[in-house]
Structure formats: C-alpha cells, structure tokens
Amino acid sequence: MKYLHAMVRVRDLDASLRFFRDGLGLRETRRKDYPEGRFTLVYLGAPANPESEVELTYNYDDEDYGSARNFGHLAFEVDDIYATCAHLQSMGITINRPPRDGHMAFVRSPDLVSVELLQKGGRLPPQEPWASMANTGVW
C-alpha cells in the first residue's frame, strides 16, 4: 500500500490556494479541470515531500460542507513555527492554537479545515507573543 493524498472540498479556490500555497508554502503539482462534471481538482505538495499531496476539490455549484470538524486535520512540519505563524498572521489568518510550547500550532483554512503545524526537530524556546497568547475559536 502507498499513501497518495488527502482530499478537502473547498468553497473558494482562490482563497484556499492563497492559504495553502501562499501562506503555508505548498506547491501546486498538478491541476485537472472537469467542466462537464462541474469541478476542478488542484493537487499541492510540500517542498520536502511533494509526492504526498493535498487535493483541493472545487465544485462549481455552491454547497454547504458544514463546519469540517469531522475531517480531523492535516499536519505539516515547518522549519520555524514562529516565523510560519507570524507569516500566516500577517496574511490575516487566525492562529487558533498558538505555538506556546515552541512545537505545535493549529490554524484553519478558509473552508475550516484544521491544519496542525509542527516544529521540525526539537522544540524552540518559548517566545512572545506566542507564549502568552490564548487559544482562539476551535481547531
């Protein structure tokens, strides 16, 4: 058996690409448009292992996917959790569970998919403003 990808349905493809590509740094590996089926598939991979992909499924017709809490989460290892969170925050993305421990944070995509960020290697020393930042919302 071989792991291929995780699929998430997205309501706004541009907003989701801004989050996953521009915010998290994933790279688009391929895209397939199916106008007859009224959907587009966009595959994204992390620079360190692009073969393990996230598939964004954009259906042309509006549909309510609920809160997306039943999905669980995606997890990405990052080189500097503080820099990653600061970058996402500068883009207006809420850090739902700040990296108070220098190791783990949670954010949510525009479609409410929880994304776990894990520090590569050991924990970083606690750092403000993260060390004293409270949780926001749910993840």
Side-chain angles (χ1 to χ4, degrees):
M1 187 176 346
K2 175 181 164 183
Y3 173 80
L4 297 176
H5 64 266
M7 182 275 273
V8 290
R9 290 180 178 89
V10 300
R11 292 182 190 92
D12 182 332
L13 186 56
D14 292 333
S16 294
L17 286 172
R18 182 175 182 268
F19 176 81
F20 287 105
R21 186 189 58 211
D22 304 341
L24 291 176
L26 301 185
R27 296 184 183 144
E28 186 173 324
T29 57
R30 55 198 163 109
R31 179 185 294 236
K32 295 179 183 179
D33 292 306
Y34 296 94
E36 67 286 351
R38 305 195 44 73
F39 67 95
T40 295
L41 304 178
V42 179
Y43 294 86
L44 304 165
N49 59 334
E51 70 283 356
S52 297
E53 297 171 312
V54 174
E55 172 193 319
L56 304 182
T57 297
Y58 170 68
N59 292 303
Y60 301 170
D61 300 317
D62 191 34
E63 186 176 338
D64 181 10
Y65 300 125
S67 69
R69 291 280 294 160
N70 62 335
F71 175 78
H73 67 268
L74 302 173
F76 297 96
E77 181 180 73
V78 297
D79 289 330
D80 183 332
I81 198 161
Y82 297 134
T84 301
C85 287
H87 173 65
L88 291 169
Q89 197 172 48
S90 77
M91 294 176 62
I93 295 165
T94 299
I95 309 302
N96 300 101
R97 194 281 191 192
R100 290 183 294 274
D101 56 4
H103 175 69
M104 179 183 66
F106 274 89
V107 296
R108 292 183 92 184
S109 79
D111 294 285
L112 306 178
V113 174
S114 292
V115 177
E116 180 181 23
L117 305 172
L118 294 168
Q119 174 61 43
K120 183 178 181 178
R123 296 175 189 271
L124 298 180
Q127 187 178 105
E128 292 298 340
W130 313 109
S132 59
M133 190 179 287
N135 293 343
T136 302
V138 295
W139 61 90

